[in-house]
Amino acid sequence: MKNGLFITFEGGDACGKSTQVKLFKEYVATRKDKEHFVFVREPGGTSLGEKIRELLLCYEEDSPVPKAELLLFLASRAQLFEKTILPALNQGKIVVADRFYDSTIAYQGFARKIFEADEILKLNEMILGKYKPDLTFYLKIKPEIAFERKNLNSLNFDRMEKEDLDFHQKVYEGYEFISKKEKERFVVLDATKSIDEIHNEIVSSVENLIKNNTKKCKT
Ligand code: TMP
């Protein structure tokens, strides 16, 4: 039975997510209960998943067609969920994932238009059952502003980062959709705020979540 907590970080490219995940990890390292936290990323997070990540983002010889892309993201998620996330939650740990299924709704659903969002949600349900994150930090930023932040030297961009503004506008619409549809778990953060302000909001939301969860466990 699930008794841990599941926290995810989401947002379009160049929203500052990686910086916030890194700062959050540093904050966790200062906590007494730091061994209760498990950090994972998607795609990736397992040794198979990391190979899939490479194929998805960097394999240029034979880029996946959209349906293959969707299935590879889902394969990576299935492996990570069963091997790492679920066992950790069952041990009462706090799992922190850098991206999860909201990314699939935004990128493969809204931007690539492979299937409707509801169909993608059904595919996810086949992997996750009824599991959903308890808390999702969505770093919200208009793609045109995020694009200004991106390094103009695009030589190191992965396949997704190389997509144009129109693609990233659809990604944004996807996040708007899912953050409203499943709003009970979303904390929407204004990603144009300062790094410290955003970090403080994240820390205080997580502290509240842990406090409330501890109370629930005692009753
Ligand atoms: P990032 O984790 O470094 O942000 O990069 C992962 C990229 O993969 C990012 O562009 C979003 C994309 N992605 C999808 O398109 N679908 C998914 O389901 C996931 C998890 C990520």
Side-chain angles (χ1 to χ4, degrees), residues 79-104:
Q79 189 77 0
L80 180 66
F81 186 67
E82 220 171 296
K83 283 206 133 175
T84 309
I85 297 177
L86 194 53
L89 290 176
N90 286 337
Q91 287 168 29
K93 301 227 162 149
I94 300 169
V95 178
V96 182
D98 182 346
R99 294 194 182 280
F100 204 55
Y101 71 76
D102 302 323
S103 292
T104 322

Side-chain angles (χ1 to χ4, degrees), residues 119-132:
E119 288 170 308
I120 293 189
L121 282 170
K122 266 191 226 143
L123 286 169
N124 271 293
E125 226 178 279
M126 285 163 65
I127 299 171
L128 310 171
K130 296 286 173 200
Y131 278 88
K132 285 183 188 299

Side-chain angles (χ1 to χ4, degrees), residues 25-43:
K25 260 187 201 164
E26 286 167 12
Y27 153 78
V28 166
T30 67
R31 288 180 59 104
K32 274 201 231 117
D33 60 351
K34 56 176 180 279
E35 72 285 359
H36 286 302
F37 286 77
V38 175
F39 284 85
V40 294
R41 71 167 177 178
E42 273 213 358

